[in-house]
C-alpha cells in the first residue's frame, strides 16, 4: 500500500477473542467464529489500546458471581424426586467477552479500513461501527488538530474498545506524517546507515506518533530492493542483499517498538522481484527461491519480536495456489503462520487493490471473506469497508468461516 493506492482508491481510500473464552472454559459461542486478530482487536487492541486510552470503569476489578450452595433437605424423602433443570438462558451481552457479541460486531473486528486525515469524521464512524483498525491516509500538517481528532476516534469505539490506529511511515515517498513529524529519508538511503542510527531514527519518530495517539506504523518494508523491481524503483527497500535488508528491518522494527508503537513488517513473502500490485497481479519466484533470500528479512524481524505482518498480493509457484495471491491463499497463509508463530497477527494489504480483487474478477468484499477464510486475521479494505463487514457478517451467520478448532490450536497471546 502506498500513496498511489490511496489516490486511486479515492479520498474516502491471533487467535480469536472467542477462542480465548472457550479456552477459559466459559460458555460456548453460539455461532462459528474464525481465528483472527481482527476479532482479536478485542484481545490485541483491548490490551494495547483500551488500557492506554480509557480509564478503568470498575476499580474493584471484574465481578465474580459466587455459585449458590445447594441446601440439604431437613428430612429424608421417601419417594424419588424428578429434578428439572431450568433452561440455560442465552448469554447476555458482555462487552469484555466476544463470545457474547453479535455476528456483525465480530465481523467488524475483522476489517481494517483506510481514512483520509482530512475526514476524521469518517474514522469516527468506522470506530463506532466496531472496525478492528484504521489506517490513516493523506498529508496532515496540523499536529494539534490531528491529535484531537484521533482522540475522538479512539473514544468512539463500542463498549470502550478502540480501533488500532496505524499510518504508513516508511520514509521517502511513503510517509503520511512528514508535515507533522518531519521528513524521513528513503529506506534506500537508511539502508546505508549503521543499524544503531536506523533504530534511533525509528524510535524518535515513533515517539511523535505515540504522542499523536497512533498505535502502529505500517513499516518496515522488508522487501528486497532487487534491480528492476517495483520496490527498487520506488526506493522503498533497504537493500538488495538479504542479510543487510534483514538487519536494517530489524533495527527499524525495534526502534518503533521501543517507543511503544507496533511495527507491521511488509509485504510478505517479499515484493522485491515483483511489478506493482496496485495495477497488476504480479508473480514472484517459487518458494524454494524465496527461502533464504526474500523470506529472510521477515523471518528475522519475527524472531526479533515482531508480531504483525502485512501480506502482499503476490503469487508464488509452490507457495500459493494457481492464480491466487498470498492474501487469499490458504497454503501461503498456513506457511506464514508456521513461520511467524501462533501469536502473530496477519494483515492483508488492501483487498481493494487490483491484484487481490479485480484480477480475480471478484469484489473487494468477497476478497475480504476469502482472505479471512484462508487464515488472515485482518482484511484491509480501503474501499467500502462496511460492505466487507456485511459480507463477513453473512459468512459468520452462514457458518462458512472456519472455527478456531478447525484452524488448529492457538495459544493465549496478547500485545501489551
Amino acid at each position: 500500500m502506498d500513496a498511489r493506492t490511496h489516490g486511486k482508491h479515492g479520498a474516502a481510500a491471533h487467535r480469536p477473542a472467542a477462542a480465548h473464552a472457550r479456552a477459559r472454559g466459559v460458555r460456548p459461542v453460539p455461532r462459528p467464529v474464525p481465528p483472527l486478530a481482527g476479532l482479536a482487536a478485542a484481545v490485541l487492541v483491548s490490551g494495547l489500546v483500551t488500557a492506554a486510552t480509557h480509564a478503568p470503569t470498575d476499580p474493584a476489578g471484574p465481578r465474580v458471581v459466587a455459585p449458590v450452595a445447594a441446601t440439604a433437605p431437613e428430612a429424608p424423602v421417601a419417594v424419588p424426586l424428578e429434578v428439572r433443570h431450568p433452561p440455560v438462558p442465552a448469554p447476555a451481552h458482555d462487552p469484555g467477552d466476544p463470545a457474547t457479541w453479535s455476528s456483525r460486531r465480530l465481523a467488524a473486528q475483522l476489517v481494517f479500513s483506510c481514512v483520509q486525515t482530512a475526514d476524521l469524521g469518517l474514522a469516527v464512524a468506522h470506530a463506532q461501527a466496531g472496525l478492528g483498525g484504521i489506517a490513516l491516509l493523506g498529508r496532515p500538517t496540523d499536529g494539534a488538530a490531528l491529535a484531537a481528532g484521533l482522540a475522538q476516534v479512539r473514544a468512539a469505539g463500542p463498549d470502550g474498545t478502540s480501533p488500532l490506529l496505524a499510518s504508513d511511515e516508511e520514509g521517502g515517498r511513503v510517509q503520511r506524517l512528514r508535515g507533522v513529524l518531519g521528513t524521513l529519508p528513503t529506506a534506500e538511503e537508511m539502508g546505508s546507515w549503521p543499524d544503531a542510527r536506523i533504530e534511533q531514527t525509528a524510535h524518535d519518530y515513533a515517539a511523535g506518533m505515540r504522542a499523536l495517539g497512533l498505535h502502529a506504523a505500517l513499516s518496515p518494508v522488508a522487501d528486497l530492493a532487487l534491480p528492476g523491481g517495483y520496490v527498487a524503483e520506488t526506493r522503498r527497500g533497504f537493500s538488495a542483499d538479504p542479510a543487510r535488508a534483514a538487519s536494517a528491518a530489524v533495527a527499524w522494527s525495534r526502534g518503533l517498538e521501543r517507543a511503544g508503537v507496533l511495527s507491521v513488517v511488509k509485504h510478505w513473502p517479499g515484493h522485491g522481484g515483483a511489478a506493482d500490485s496496485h495495477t497488476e497481479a504480479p508473480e514472484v519466484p517459487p518458494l524454494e527461491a524465496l527461502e533464504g533470500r526474500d523470506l529472510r528479512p521477515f523471518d528475522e524481524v519475527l524472531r526479533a519480536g515482531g508480531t504483525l505482518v502485512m501480506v502482499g498480493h503476490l503469487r508464488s509457484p509452490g507457495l500459493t495456489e494457481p492464480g491466487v495471491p498470498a492474501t487469499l491463499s490458504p497454503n501461503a497463509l498456513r506457511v506464514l503462520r508456521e513461520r511467524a508463530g501462533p501469536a502473530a497477527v496477519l494483515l492483508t494489504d488492501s483487498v481493494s487493490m487490483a491484484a487481490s480483487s479485480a484480477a480475480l474478477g471478484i469484489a473487494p468484499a468477497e476478497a475480504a471473506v476469502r482472505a479471512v477464510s484462508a487464515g488472515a486475521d485482518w482484511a484491509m479494505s480501503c474501499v467500502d469497508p462496511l460492505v466487507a463487514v456485511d459480507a463477513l457478517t453473512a459468512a459468520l451467520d452462514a457458518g462458512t468461516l472456519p472455527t478456531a478448532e478447525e484452524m488448529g490450536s492457538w495459544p493465549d497471546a496478547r500485545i501489551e
Side-chain angles (χ1 to χ4, degrees):
M1 188 172 65
D2 70 5
R4 282 194 295 165
T5 308
H6 310 311
K8 177 174 64 181
H9 291 321
H14 43 5
R15 154 177 182 157
H20 286 279
R22 287 195 294 275
R24 293 195 302 269
V26 302
R27 53 188 173 271
V29 186
R31 56 181 61 83
V33 177
L36 32 76
L39 278 183
V43 174
L44 166 76
V45 182
S46 61
L48 168 72
V49 181
T50 308
T53 59
H54 298 281
T57 57
D58 189 353
R63 296 182 295 277
V64 178
V65 180
V68 178
T71 303
E74 296 180 357
V77 179
V79 294
L81 293 177
E82 179 182 2
V83 179
R84 296 180 181 272
H85 294 287
V88 179
H93 174 69
D94 178 353
D97 184 2
T100 69
W101 292 356
S102 69
S103 292
R104 187 169 185 82
R105 177 76 174 88
L106 291 168
Q109 284 287 297
L110 311 180
V111 176
F112 215 102
S113 73
C114 306
V115 173
Q116 292 282 340
T117 50
D119 188 11
L120 289 182
L122 180 60
V124 169
H126 287 178
Q128 290 171 336
L131 267 59
I134 300 172
L136 298 185
L137 314 179
R139 296 278 191 260
T141 57
D142 187 334
L146 178 60
L150 292 177
Q152 293 179 345
V153 176
R154 292 195 307 273
D159 302 323
T161 300
S162 299
L164 187 141
L165 300 179
S167 182
D168 265 326
E169 304 300 331
E170 304 172 13
R173 62 178 284 173
V174 185
Q175 184 194 355
R176 306 289 171 196
L177 301 175
R178 70 177 65 200
V180 176
L181 300 180
T183 301
L184 288 170
T186 65
E188 179 184 80
E189 179 180 342
M190 290 190 285
S192 65
W193 294 359
D195 286 350
R197 183 181 176 188
I198 296 174
E199 181 174 340
Q200 190 61 47
T201 299
H203 172 273
D204 294 346
Y205 193 83
M209 293 181 66
R210 182 82 177 185
L212 290 170
L214 288 158
H215 309 115
L218 302 179
S219 62
V221 170
D223 308 318
L224 301 182
L226 300 175
Y230 168 70
V231 170
E233 290 174 354
T234 52
R235 306 180 67 192
R236 295 176 67 188
F238 289 110
S239 176
D241 176 64
R244 179 65 202 128
S247 182
V250 168
W252 185 265
S253 178
R254 281 179 170 161
L256 295 175
E257 304 262 352
R258 193 158 54 87
V261 170
L262 294 166
S263 66
V264 183
V265 63
K266 61 187 186 184
H267 308 81
W268 191 93
H271 209 300
D276 185 359
S277 60
H278 300 92
T279 56
E280 303 179 40
E283 184 170 297
V284 296
L287 177 59
E288 57 267 26
L290 298 177
E291 287 284 1
R293 193 188 74 167
D294 298 69
L295 292 175
R296 178 173 175 179
F298 296 93
D299 290 344
E300 295 201 14
V301 169
L302 291 164
R303 277 197 293 267
T307 50
L308 282 86
V309 185
M310 179 179 284
V311 183
H313 305 307
L314 305 167
R315 306 178 187 192
S316 169
L319 177 63
T320 62
E321 293 80 3
V324 178
T327 44
L328 311 186
S329 166
N331 187 65
L333 292 175
R334 177 187 58 78
V335 170
L336 174 55
R337 179 65 67 189
E338 290 172 352
R339 303 177 83 102
V345 177
L346 312 185
L347 166 68
T348 74
D349 208 341
S350 176
V351 294
S352 310
M353 294 164 61
S356 176
S357 49
L360 278 70
I362 60 176
E366 182 179 344
V369 174
R370 288 182 58 174
V372 173
S373 296
D377 294 317
W378 267 321
M380 178 181 286
S381 182
C382 290
V383 173
D384 296 329
L386 298 184
V387 177
V389 173
D390 292 338
L392 286 160
T393 301
L396 281 168
D397 284 336
T400 56
L401 288 181
T403 64
E405 289 79 3
E406 290 168 341
M407 293 292 285
S409 175
W410 303 77
D412 193 1
R414 294 175 183 234
I415 299 174
E416 302 292 353

